[in-house]
Amino acid sequence: MHDIWNPWHGCRKASEGCANCYMFTMDRWRGLDGSVVRRNKAAFRYPLSRSRDGSFKVRPGELIRVCMTSDFFVGEADPWRDEAWDVMRQRPDVRFWLLTKRPERFAACLPDDWGEGWDNVMLNVTCENQRRADERIAILLATPARHKGIMCAPLIGRADIETYLELGERGGDGVRGCGIEQVICGGENYEGARPCDFDWVRLLAAQCREHDVTFAFTETGTVFVKDGRTYRLRDHRLQSEQAFKSGVSIAGRPIEWRLHDALGLPIPAEELYQPRFRERCETCGQRLICNGCSDCGRCA
């Protein structure tokens, strides 16, 4: 996928949301040990790779999700993280989306020139239930960053985030940088998937709507509970379509990414990458936060 950069692979389970992690499942299918964290030599500098004509393969304005088969702040990756930061430093024209279950490591792992945050990097924490929301969002809000988000996936319990959305909105009280700009929500898949209750999703959606924060319900998960009835949806495409049809996703206030070139000059809007979508994308729960079609040819 053109929107994912995995400079390393493998992770250590950190909380209950990790119990049925898709990465561990897929590695086990391939006969690999997902707990072994290893540098991805072939893809480590992917955002800096160029086409034959000399242009970057990752175009200005694209959104890159980082470490989707690991955790950017996992301790085993400490020897390589500075180099990964340097890759992002060299692409101030690209948006990097970082997700972690280890926000307590922000202070020790952010680059020396982070300051109040980089304009092209969004820090996100996973909040699979109320316990983890209370544990992680406060740290996120207290961390300097230009962009901040929450990932409620897999959502395996009720999570009330009203206090944190309100705190981030009014600022002060230890909040550094922006408040929460985006919340992504989805159910669990693969072996042992636990139920995702639509009431939990509705609560998050309502709170985001109240604070004009973007909310994306991307997939129901394999076991979905709605109005007391349990549904089993094993097809990922169907899960995404049902999430879209629920109508709870909302585009909140626009996120202002101040992207610039290597010389520090702003990039004209007409020169930034614009996502393109196909017909089947119209009913996809991911569309609101998607980087667009990669032209892989599978739906041609």
Side-chain angles (χ1 to χ4, degrees):
M1 296 178 67
H2 70 136
D3 65 339
I4 291 178
W5 172 39
N6 291 320
W8 47 84
H9 177 92
C11 198
R12 297 282 184 169
K13 295 186 178 184
S15 64
E16 54 273 26
C18 305
N20 303 315
C21 175
Y22 68 93
M23 183 276 293
F24 280 87
T25 298
M26 291 189 293
D27 268 15
R28 186 168 62 253
W29 290 346
R30 294 191 291 255
L32 302 174
D33 183 354
S35 67
V36 177
V37 182
R38 50 196 181 276
R39 178 185 170 115
N40 189 344
K41 296 180 180 179
F44 196 92
R45 299 176 69 80
Y46 164 63
L48 302 180
S49 61
R50 295 179 182 267
S51 301
R52 289 184 178 180
D53 63 4
S55 62
F56 284 116
K57 292 181 179 179
V58 178
R59 288 157 287 178
E62 285 206 62
L63 174 70
I64 301 297
R65 293 181 291 164
V66 185
C67 283
M68 298 310 292
T69 60
S70 184
D71 186 317
F72 189 77
F73 294 96
V74 70
E76 287 79 356
D78 286 354
W80 317 311
R81 192 174 297 102
D82 284 347
E83 188 177 349
W85 282 124
D86 189 55
V87 169
M88 287 182 267
R89 185 183 289 110
Q90 294 181 60
R91 292 302 310 270
D93 58 337
V94 172
R95 299 173 293 157
F96 292 94
W97 187 90
L98 275 60
L99 176 66
T100 187
K101 287 183 173 67
R102 297 167 170 83
E104 69 279 2
R105 304 203 73 225
F106 283 156
C109 296
L110 293 173
D112 292 339
D113 60 347
W114 180 257
E116 289 302 303
W118 290 358
D119 290 327
N120 66 326
V121 175
M122 175 181 276
L123 298 181
N124 297 264
V125 294
T126 302
C127 302
E128 60 262 45
N129 53 26
Q130 191 66 56
R131 175 187 176 185
R132 301 307 176 180
D134 293 338
E135 176 184 280
R136 295 169 180 159
I137 302 177
I139 300 175
L140 176 65
L141 288 175
T143 300
R146 303 293 186 191
H147 305 288
K148 298 175 182 177
I150 299 171
M151 181 79 161
C152 295
L155 186 61
I156 57 174
R158 184 180 185 274
D160 184 334
I161 61 172
E162 174 75 26
T163 298
Y164 305 108
L165 294 178
E166 182 178 329
L167 183 62
E169 188 174 60
R170 70 170 186 262
D173 297 326
V175 175
R176 297 190 63 185
C178 70
I180 304 303
E181 296 179 302
Q182 176 181 274
V183 176
I184 300 173
C185 175
E188 189 170 47
N189 285 293
Y190 298 98
E191 300 171 359
R194 290 159 287 186
C196 174
D197 195 310
F198 192 44
D199 284 345
W200 306 338
V201 179
R202 286 190 181 111
L203 174 64
L204 291 170
Q207 293 175 343
C208 287
R209 185 177 296 106
E210 176 67 22
H211 294 276
D212 201 18
V213 170
T214 294
F215 178 76
F217 180 34
T218 60
E219 60 183 355
T220 62
T222 302
V223 184
F224 187 57
V225 178
K226 184 176 184 294
D227 300 330
R229 183 175 177 180
T230 300
Y231 300 86
R232 297 186 181 276
L233 303 89
R234 302 202 175 274
D235 181 78
H236 284 212
R237 176 65 183 170
L238 177 59
Q239 291 183 29
S240 181
E241 288 179 346
Q242 292 303 309
F244 171 82
K245 291 177 180 178
S246 72
V248 297
S249 293
I250 55 171
R253 58 183 173 273
I255 299 175
E256 297 183 7
W257 298 85
R258 295 183 174 88
L259 304 179
H260 56 84
D261 63 20
L263 297 177
L265 299 175
I267 302 171
E270 62 270 18
E271 295 181 14
L272 293 174
Y273 168 80
Q274 296 297 321
R276 294 182 298 104
F277 299 99
R278 294 179 180 270
E279 184 178 350
R280 66 179 299 177
C281 301
E282 296 297 325
T283 57
C284 177
Q286 292 271 0
R287 175 163 178 158
L288 190 59
I289 57 168
C290 184
N291 202 35
C293 178
S294 62
D295 293 322
C296 67
R298 283 183 289 182
C299 63

